[in-house]
Amino acid sequence: MALSKIPTHMYTDPTPAKMPAGSVIKHFYDMPDDISQLTANSSTAELTSGGHRPSFTRVLGSTESQLLFDGGLAVWGDIDNDGQGYIDIRVDIKRTVNGANQTTVYSEGGLVDRAGQSRTRDFRARFIDNPTSNAGDVLEYIVEVVLITTTNSRSLNINNGKHSTITIVEMKT
């Protein structure tokens, strides 16, 4: 292709405020891998502990951009217990803005392990988050796994043999 055929109608100012709608302004990726095990009813573990808590500084304010949270959260049922029973869990994602106002922005639950069958339940936590905030505000996300009910001494495993992934993307609106 001759150089004269290269498109020249692209935008010329790459600053985030002038980018076209849908442009990716900022991207965050982490792979939490701290292994946790829960064995008691109503117990909680933070999947994002050990330095993996997403901390994201907004480039644009909430009127100009929105955030896509995409988490593939590795949650395993009981690995070596063949006894009958089940595990019922919930995944909660909480957000703070500049370290204040912790708000639950996502909550999903269900059976992970039932009747002696070991299985992985990858929670796909995917949602648009757009808290009222300004450019430069720091958003932090806390991902918690709650073992609601366990029977026959079954345990819940988090990141055991598989890593979770968390991606946050700020997009121009």
Side-chain angles (χ1 to χ4, degrees):
M1 170 191 287
L3 288 178
S4 62
K5 302 283 185 183
I6 294 175
T8 57
H9 60 284
M10 306 270 237
Y11 60 93
T12 57
D13 188 347
T15 58
K18 295 191 178 182
M19 295 172 85
S23 296
V24 172
I25 297 167
K26 188 172 184 178
H27 178 267
F28 170 92
Y29 176 81
D30 197 3
M31 194 161 62
D33 58 1
D34 289 353
I35 296 173
S36 298
Q37 186 177 69
L38 301 176
T39 58
N41 289 340
S42 302
S43 55
T44 301
E46 184 181 338
L47 187 135
T48 47
S49 65
H52 294 285
R53 191 180 278 182
S55 182
F56 191 88
T57 303
R58 279 194 102 135
V59 174
L60 298 175
S62 55
T63 60
E64 301 171 299
S65 69
Q66 58 188 355
L67 305 172
L68 169 66
F69 183 102
D70 186 11
L73 312 176
V75 179
W76 292 71
D78 199 320
I79 294 172
D80 58 4
N81 182 343
D82 292 331
Q84 300 299 308
Y86 66 93
I87 297 171
D88 187 22
I89 73 163
R90 186 179 69 242
V91 173
D92 293 330
I93 300 174
K94 301 172 183 178
R95 178 215 338 107
T96 65
V97 178
N98 296 324
N101 303 325
Q102 191 175 96
T103 305
T104 299
V105 293
Y106 178 89
S107 188
E108 178 187 352
L111 291 174
V112 174
D113 185 48
R114 181 175 47 192
Q117 301 297 314
S118 297
R119 59 187 72 162
T120 302
R121 169 82 185 260
D122 282 329
F123 277 84
R124 196 63 188 191
R126 184 179 291 153
F127 58 93
I128 298 291
D129 190 27
N130 197 21
T132 301
S133 57
N134 300 310
D137 284 348
V138 177
L139 307 176
E140 187 173 57
Y141 291 89
I142 302 141
V143 180
E144 294 179 339
V145 180
V146 181
L147 176 55
I148 297 170
T149 307
T150 180
T151 62
N152 290 352
S153 301
R154 300 187 74 73
S155 60
L156 172 65
N157 296 281
I158 301 166
N159 294 325
N160 190 348
K162 185 175 181 183
H163 300 289
S164 295
T165 60
I166 296 174
T167 303
I168 301 172
V169 178
E170 184 175 6
M171 301 172 297
K172 175 86 166 113
T173 54

